Amino acid sequence: MKQPERLLAEKLLEISAIKLQPNNPFTWASGWNSPIYTDNRKTLSYPEIRSIIKVEMCRMILENYPEADAIAGVATGAIAMGALVADTLNKPYVYVRSAPKDHGLENLIEGNLKPGQKVVVIEDLISTGGSSLKAVEAIRKAGCEVIGMVAIFTYQFPLAVENFQKAGVELLTVSNYSAMLEVAVETNYIQESDLEALREWRKDPANWVPNTKNEL
């Protein structure tokens, strides 16, 4: 039986939720060159994959955070998955916006949290951790305790590890960059020769320069 991290990595590659292009990199909104593009929202269109993620997240929460009072999804990518997890666990659910609404009550958190509640945050993708930890800050300001975060996938950036440690937040993920690279080679999605560039990017993504010497 495949480990969940490897099984999910294989599925994400199959449906192009993850795309790898080490010799023809993407440009992120930050301006970084990147050999990978990830859109985990695609998983919502595939019941089997959606179920794998939901079940694994619920298992992680039950095993690691049995005291959880509520579930919070991070907008926008984790809103749907967070709701699925909360529904399965029969827990109250809220989601956290990236910025307050510009009209009405100007809510940052949609739904009702009670001060003192222990909250598990659901996220779809962890890069540097910046936007995810802003959601944590909002929940803490609401008087609640964030006891952990569970995400679909992480790039495993050293900066993200540092940011989560500084914020005092434990992060668990269903799959990760290392597992995905192993699967990508085994399934011939990429060649063994691509691995060095892909691993170097993860170490210092802000300054990574793609090797284009073999391109026409």
Side-chain angles (χ1 to χ4, degrees):
M1 186 175 179
K2 294 180 182 176
Q3 295 177 329
E5 62 184 18
R6 292 172 60 84
L7 174 61
L8 180 58
E10 183 178 317
K11 298 296 184 183
L12 294 176
L13 288 166
E14 281 179 6
I15 65 171
S16 295
I18 289 179
K19 294 182 180 181
L20 295 174
Q21 296 180 183
N23 296 316
N24 183 27
F26 304 94
T27 301
W28 285 2
S30 61
W32 292 2
N33 289 311
S34 172
I36 182 171
Y37 182 77
T38 306
D39 182 3
N40 288 324
R41 283 169 290 203
K42 285 190 174 183
T43 61
L44 297 171
S45 299
Y46 298 85
E48 177 195 0
I49 303 173
R50 189 176 68 210
S51 181
I52 290 170
I53 296 168
K54 179 187 73 174
V55 169
E56 279 305 305
M57 285 188 161
C58 289
R59 180 188 63 79
M60 288 177 173
I61 293 169
L62 290 171
E63 290 181 1
N64 295 279
Y65 313 115
E67 72 275 30
D69 298 311
I71 305 296
V74 180
T76 59
I79 290 177
M81 187 54 65
L84 289 170
V85 169
D87 189 60
T88 302
L89 295 175
N90 195 32
K91 299 287 186 184
Y93 178 65
V94 301
Y95 71 84
V96 186
R97 293 176 173 272
S98 57
K101 284 171 64 175
D102 59 3
H103 61 280
L105 298 178
E106 299 183 348
N107 293 337
L108 184 58
I109 298 175
E110 297 291 357
N112 292 317
L113 283 178
K114 298 176 182 178
Q117 284 186 314
K118 298 180 185 297
V119 181
V120 174
V121 179
I122 302 296
E123 182 61 288
D124 71 321
L125 176 66
I126 305 296
S127 52
T128 64
S131 58
S132 307
L133 292 172
K134 283 182 181 177
V136 170
E137 183 180 353
I139 293 167
R140 287 172 171 169
K141 284 183 177 179
C144 296
E145 178 186 354
V146 174
I147 56 175
M149 183 179 296
V150 180
I152 297 174
F153 189 83
T154 176
Y155 292 130
Q156 298 177 303
F157 291 156
L159 178 59
V161 174
E162 182 181 330
N163 286 340
F164 275 87
Q165 287 176 344
K166 284 181 179 177
V169 179
E170 181 179 45
L171 172 66
L172 303 177
T173 65
V174 181
S175 191
N176 58 68
Y177 192 74
S178 297
M180 183 274 300
L181 289 185
E182 291 175 6
V183 171
V185 171
E186 291 171 9
T187 58
N188 296 316
Y189 187 99
I190 58 171
Q191 302 303 310
E192 195 86 39
S193 57
D194 294 321
L195 280 177
E196 183 179 355
L198 289 162
R199 287 172 176 155
E200 285 300 313
W201 171 79
R202 187 187 65 81
K203 293 177 185 176
D204 187 11
N207 298 302
W208 181 75
V209 177
N211 180 6
T212 57
K213 66 182 180 180
N214 294 323
E215 292 186 352
L216 295 177

